[in-house]
Amino acid sequence: MSLDLRRADPPRQADLVIIGGGVVGAATAFFAARAGLRPLLLERRPALATLTTAAATGSFRLQFDNPEELALVRESVDLYLNFTEVTGQREYDPAARQQGYLWVTCDPATAAWQRELVARQHGWGLDDVEILSGDEARRRFPYLAPAVIQARFRAGDGLLDQKRAALGLAAASGATIVTGCGATGFQLAGGRLTAVETTAGPIATDTAIIAAGPFAGPLAATAGLTLPLTNIRRQKVILPELPQAPPGAPMTIDDDIGTHWRPALRGAYLLGADPDTPPGPPLEDVLPDADLALRLLDPASPLAAARSAPFWAAVWAHGGAHWSIQAGQYTMTPDSRPLIGPATIPGLWLNAGYGGHGVMASPGGSHLLLDLLTGRRNPADNPFRPDRAFTAPAGRAL
């Protein structure tokens, strides 16, 4: 099943309009079709999955700090690992592979926190997360530094091609897909939704889902809604053809400083979050910070990847690595969990705010949303409802 795209030529009415053509919108369209609906998927850019989804790391893990998000991701991972069987399409293969997630530490305090977290995960039924001593971690992963004293590891976590995942879900949905057509607002009558305004004219509908990533907040504001969303720039350094990077390595995260890397493109993606990055407006063109690569690669930097994996020092010393930097935006809520469910305007629904977990959580989240929309699930059982009380997450970010 291939994608059937239309350019800026939407129908004049639709049963269901999904706004946003990234992985969240594509997953929403897939589960809408499975629920028996006929979705119309709108994307303001000329192609699907070219903004936030394209800038994502392309990975999945069940090592969460709460059972609610763990459940969403578990369902998503089952879909990715059985993509052809579940979606029925073969055009786009996300190449999901279970190479693991390895979180390492050189700090006794972090080691104690890791043990406490893994005990909680075991209590939620995620009993295949391991605590490894430093020596055991180095035996399994010889690239680790002598300073590593402990690691937590789950072999069932892994990597995938997030753009092909999004395109595959969109193709499998059979949705009418219109690119180059942006939603600009909503028409209301009697306090409920009657149409979606677009750059190509209004589309009459009584049901629409905002799955617009960084643009979800401003779009909702056109209907008078204020969503608790902020956008934070996140970046990855792309180092193709890097022979020093072990191709079979898991996603490897320095749990003390947040710097992490994964094999990709016969090289690696190298990433590091800057906690001081201020929130900003949604952007079509997110400018990268050219110094990010230097901060992560220079062994003298406090964020150096070489701190826990010394081969990165050899990459720096050699000096021959080519790199580029790709930037996108995380859309964050105050409790770092997504908004999934009805807005306060009847007919308008939200599927946004995944905070960098959209690739790994949106299939499960979209299934939940469609179950709520079609009455298959009790709204009281939804921990991600948009009208919940928000509590800032405790402890370190994951």
Side-chain angles (χ1 to χ4, degrees):
M1 192 184 305
S2 299
L3 287 169
D4 182 14
L5 303 179
R6 303 165 74 174
R7 287 294 303 274
D9 181 28
R12 292 300 92 198
Q13 64 179 38
D15 294 340
L16 169 66
V17 178
I18 300 167
I19 303 165
V23 68
V24 178
T28 305
F30 174 74
F31 282 101
R34 286 189 56 165
L37 304 176
R38 293 180 297 175
L40 167 64
L41 181 63
L42 300 181
E43 170 52 49
R44 62 191 287 166
R45 295 166 68 84
L48 300 180
T50 57
L51 189 62
T52 304
T53 299
T57 311
S59 58
F60 57 87
R61 60 179 167 88
L62 297 191
Q63 295 187 65
F64 272 78
D65 65 352
N66 65 89
E68 294 82 14
E69 285 182 285
L70 190 159
L72 292 188
V73 179
R74 190 188 293 277
E75 180 176 353
S76 301
V77 171
D78 286 344
L79 182 150
Y80 288 139
L81 292 177
N82 302 282
F83 200 74
T84 299
E85 293 81 1
V86 174
T87 65
Q89 70 87 41
R90 301 176 182 275
E91 184 80 13
Y92 302 97
D93 179 6
R97 52 208 184 274
Q98 292 173 294
Q99 290 185 210
Y101 250 72
L102 178 70
W103 306 70
V104 304
T105 180
C106 308
D107 182 352
T110 303
W113 176 85
Q114 286 187 340
R115 293 190 294 271
E116 188 274 334
L117 174 62
V118 171
R120 282 190 283 136
Q121 291 169 337
H122 287 181
W124 301 327
L126 190 66
D127 55 9
D128 56 352
V129 184
E130 303 176 76
I131 287 289
L132 307 178
S133 69
D135 288 341
E136 177 63 15
R138 278 182 291 277
R139 186 186 70 78
R140 296 200 205 179
F141 309 103
Y143 58 81
L144 293 178
V148 170
I149 62 170
Q150 184 178 280
R152 55 185 171 102
F153 176 64
R154 182 175 182 271
D157 296 336
L159 313 173
L160 54 74
D161 184 315
Q162 73 277 9
K163 187 168 182 178
R164 285 189 291 189
L167 296 178
L169 289 167
S173 74
T176 300
I177 300 172
V178 181
T179 59
C181 179
T184 58
F186 304 95
Q187 292 181 10
L188 308 176
R192 66 168 300 116
L193 179 72
T194 59
V196 175
E197 294 279 5
T198 79
T199 52
I203 302 170
T205 187
D206 58 8
T207 310
I209 300 170
I210 298 177
F215 293 91
L219 182 57
T222 66
L225 302 178
T226 300
L227 301 184
L229 297 174
T230 56
N231 301 307
I232 303 291
R233 182 178 65 178
R234 289 292 184 263
Q235 309 170 85
K236 67 183 179 188
V237 182
I238 304 169
L239 298 107
E241 305 292 341
L242 190 72
Q244 296 93 332
M251 170 74 85
T252 302
I253 305 104
D254 188 323
D255 221 353
D256 303 324
I257 59 175
T259 299
H260 52 293
W261 58 274
R262 56 151 288 193
L265 307 176
R266 293 189 293 272
Y269 295 154
L270 178 60
L271 307 95
D274 182 354
D276 297 324
T277 301
L283 298 171
E284 289 280 1
D285 184 13
V286 185
L287 297 178
D289 176 1
D291 289 337
L292 174 67
L294 304 180
R295 293 197 299 273
L296 301 181
L297 286 168
D298 184 350
S301 166
L303 298 177
R307 178 180 182 271
S308 57
F311 76 82
W312 286 108
V315 171
W316 176 262
H318 183 270
H322 294 273
W323 67 72
S324 61
I325 303 175
Q326 187 177 24
Q329 290 179 307
Y330 286 177
T331 303
M332 309 294 298
T333 63
D335 60 5
S336 297
R337 301 187 189 191
L339 304 179
I340 301 173
T344 54
I345 295 173
L348 191 60
W349 294 72
L350 304 173
N351 197 9
Y354 281 84
H357 301 153
V359 171
M360 64 179 83
S362 62
S366 299
H367 192 184
L368 169 62
L369 178 72
L370 267 299
D371 278 355
L372 293 166
L373 192 153
T374 56
R376 292 184 174 95
R377 201 168 316 192
N378 186 342
D381 297 332
N382 174 20
F384 307 104
R385 60 187 185 276
D387 64 349
R388 67 186 182 269
F390 293 92
T391 302
R396 64 185 68 224
L398 287 174

